[in-house]
Amino acid sequence: MSVTPSRVAIFGAGYVGLVTGACLADLGHSVVIRDVLADRIEALKRGEIPIYEPGLAELIAANAERIAFTTDVREAIDGADFVYVAVGTPPTYSGDADLSAVWNVIDELPAIDRACVVVMKSTVPVGTGSKVRHRLDERGLVQVGYASNPEFTAEGTAVADFLRPDRIVVGAFREEDGDAVVALHAGIESPVVRCDVASAEMIKLAANAALMTRISFINEIANVCEATGADVVRVAEGIGLDRRIGPSFLRAGIGFGGSCFPKDSLALKQLAANSGYHFQLLNAVIEVNELQKRRVIGKLHRHLGSLRDRRVALLGLAFKPDTDDTREAPSIVLAGRLLAEGAEVRAWDPIVDGHDLYGVEIAASPAAAAAGADAVVIVTEWPELIDVDWASVGASMRTPVLIDGRNLLDPVLIRAAGFQYEGIGRAAGPPED
Ligand code: NAD
Ligand code: UDX
């Protein structure tokens, strides 16, 4: 399908705004990305990309003539056919989504005398679109359309996820606004789900909840495996081959983190509660995840007894590989718990700088983090950890204990390298003599 170039303004130069902007420019559209952070915009103008997302810098560079950056609202809006909202919606103290940045964008819009569509990319509670529509009408922006076009990209694979999505969801109040948003994606092969705005908003929250439910489910199965002698890796393989179940999101570990799952689970829980419904299953999913992060501490206790003055190496700080994002990362909970127990914590991550982690010493390599330690914990499944010379790392440690929070390593090889190895939900090794 040939692309009719549109002019797209994007509010928010974060993970979603930058990926959306780069991908829409790659489809042939002309994009202006606006952020309130002057430093960020200046860096982007110099060609520096403020986040680590594979392929993003290259895509922005390849489409540089179609992407501009600004802090100025009018410059962004000038001639725009679409105004994308891609600002953060973090949790408030109550767990509800904080929509203040979204409302800032809507309230900052100048009078617009041409047809354009405000497109909500940020994840928002169901009902937000109706409220935004009402506010636009109150402000006399009646001709400005509104559509919900939730984002399903995952960090680390966001560019590919955007350009080759499982589906594009578009909810709109007016048919023609939805048509325009669908047409903007010409060039992307994907099923399109057209629906009302509230359903589009719910699809996003429900998709995340379904994925989190699978993770907490397999983590509970892992915990029962530990108690009964089964191996969750084999169990996940065995159930995932059932076509009705499928293999994805069945990796047991130390729980989900990131900028989306934890906050979106709370937002959906509160959305339900505010509407008078107690979402029992989602509450359990959240609770299982909280406990899962802490089970590692129990494992360390079993091997080392008290953790006071013990040295523990955390390998990986990002909430998952291929990102520099540490929002709600299990590493932060683990570091906090270990420090509270009186342990010394040394950490390594190939991308995250980590110097803002209070009380944690940052090491330059996995081996440097582990030297002299009583235990290492694999927190993020960075592939480079597979190729570490574990035998020499073990030899450099005070006690060679390895807790593999992501089931990354081969237990047989690691035990052969001299470690006391424990994964998550994995069969116990051969009895130690
Ligand atoms: P982010 O924090 O990385 O970026 C948000 C950006 O918006 C920041 O740079 C901030 O300065 C800017 N901003 C704030 N107010 C602004 C304003 N008035 N005008 C212009 N810019 C403004 O956030 P993110 O991770 O990109 O997430 C954005 C939204 O997308 C959230 O609702 C999130 O839940 C959702 N989402 C994120 C992901 C993801 O992988 N990160 C995936 C799907 C959906
Ligand atoms: C997620 C959703 O996948 C994406 O659709 C949405 O747009 C944003 O939130 P993201 O948070 O970037 O994406 O990463 P994802 O790969 O989904 O992982 C989230 C967390 O779940 C990570 O901490 C990861 O380690 C954990 N996880 C994932 C598991 O513990 N087990 C799994 O099987 C899969």
Side-chain angles (χ1 to χ4, degrees):
M1 206 196 291
S2 74
V3 177
T4 311
S6 293
R7 187 64 177 72
V8 184
I10 296 185
F11 282 67
Y15 288 86
V16 170
L18 287 174
V19 169
T20 303
C23 291
L24 290 179
D26 200 52
L27 291 178
H29 304 296
S30 160
V31 173
V32 182
I33 303 181
R34 189 254 173 171
D35 205 288
V36 286
L37 303 175
D39 289 355
R40 177 164 283 214
I41 291 299
E42 284 313 312
L44 284 161
K45 282 181 177 171
R46 290 194 299 273
E48 295 162 18
I49 309 304
I51 56 169
Y52 178 79
E53 182 60 48
L56 178 62
E58 293 82 347
L59 202 64
I60 289 180
N63 293 285
E65 80 277 11
R66 280 190 299 280
I67 309 178
F69 301 98
T70 184
T71 52
D72 188 84
V73 175
R74 282 177 192 277
E75 196 183 322
I77 296 292
D78 188 29
D81 305 300
F82 298 89
V83 176
Y84 265 79
V85 182
V87 296
T89 50
T92 58
Y93 192 67
S94 64
D96 297 273
D98 178 355
L99 297 182
S100 53
V102 169
W103 289 118
N104 284 344
V105 174
I106 302 302
D107 293 341
E108 281 170 342
L109 291 180
I112 300 174
D113 54 7
R114 61 201 304 276
C116 82
V117 187
V118 169
V119 187
M120 187 60 68
K121 262 288 177 221
S122 296
T123 304
V124 294
V126 181
T128 304
S130 290
K131 292 179 187 154
V132 173
R133 177 71 268 162
H134 186 66
R135 181 84 67 107
L136 290 170
D137 293 345
E138 271 180 344
R139 294 200 46 217
L141 297 169
V142 208
Q143 83 294 354
V144 173
Y146 181 89
S148 165
N149 172 217
E151 189 48 70
F152 301 99
T153 51
E155 288 176 26
T157 52
V159 171
D161 291 347
F162 192 101
L163 294 171
R164 289 185 291 283
D166 289 346
R167 76 301 209 186
I168 294 170
V169 174
V170 178
F173 295 111
R174 293 188 313 217
E175 197 69 10
E176 61 267 33
D177 296 332
D179 292 346
V181 176
V182 173
L184 186 70
H185 292 83
I188 295 181
E189 291 279 327
S190 167
V192 173
V193 178
R194 291 288 297 271
C195 56
D196 56 284
V197 171
S199 301
E201 292 166 340
M202 184 54 103
I203 287 171
K204 173 65 199 171
L205 295 175
N208 275 356
L211 294 170
M212 286 180 268
T213 303
R214 282 176 73 97
I215 298 172
S216 279
F217 167 76
I218 200 67
N219 281 338
E220 288 222 281
I221 293 288
N223 299 342
V224 181
C225 284
E226 278 176 15
T228 54
D231 184 331
V232 75
V233 174
R234 294 278 85 81
V235 173
E237 184 188 348
I239 62 175
L241 283 167
D242 185 324
R243 273 173 298 171
R244 295 166 303 175
I245 297 172
S248 57
F249 276 73
L250 287 179
R251 277 180 286 115
I254 51 176
F256 56 76
S259 68
C260 289
F261 280 175
K263 92 167 165 63
D264 292 344
S265 58
L266 286 180
L268 180 54
K269 169 184 157 161
Q270 294 308 345
L271 176 74
N274 296 341
S275 325
Y277 185 72
H278 178 66
F279 200 149
Q280 211 162 325
L281 179 59
L282 189 59
N283 277 301
V285 166
I286 295 168
E287 194 183 351
V288 167
N289 196 55
E290 286 312 309
L291 294 173
Q292 195 69 12
K293 293 183 223 171
R294 288 157 185 264
R295 279 177 69 87
V296 169
I297 304 292
K299 289 178 194 277
L300 288 170
H301 275 303
R302 271 202 307 285
H303 287 274
L304 302 174
S306 164
L307 298 180
R308 173 159 290 280
D309 297 329
R310 296 290 201 165
R311 186 183 293 168
V312 180
L314 297 182
L315 302 186
L317 292 170
F319 81 96
K320 64 180 236 182
D322 282 332
T323 181
D324 59 353
D325 203 338
T326 55
R327 287 179 282 186
E328 301 287 335
S331 61
I332 296 174
V333 175
L334 279 179
R337 284 288 301 117
L338 288 167
L339 291 171
E341 300 255 345
E344 236 181 276
V345 183
R346 220 184 251 176
W348 164 87
D349 191 284
I351 306 256
V352 177
D353 158 305
H355 285 96
D356 53 351
L357 265 178
Y358 181 75
V360 175
E361 192 187 328
I362 302 298
S365 65
D374 297 287
V376 298
V377 181
I378 294 184
V379 186
T380 314
E381 64 275 37
W382 285 106
E384 36 273 75
L385 290 173
I386 295 171
D387 299 326
V388 164
D389 177 353
W390 286 107
S392 67
V393 166
S396 78
M397 293 173 64
R398 213 146 48 188
T399 40
V401 171
L402 192 151
I403 310 295
D404 186 352
R406 298 294 182 178
N407 290 338
L408 176 72
L409 303 177
D410 181 337
V412 176
L413 292 181
I414 298 301
R415 288 192 181 110
F419 277 91
Q420 295 173 51
Y421 172 95
E422 235 192 284
I424 307 291
R426 308 219 66 177
E432 282 159 32
D433 8 25

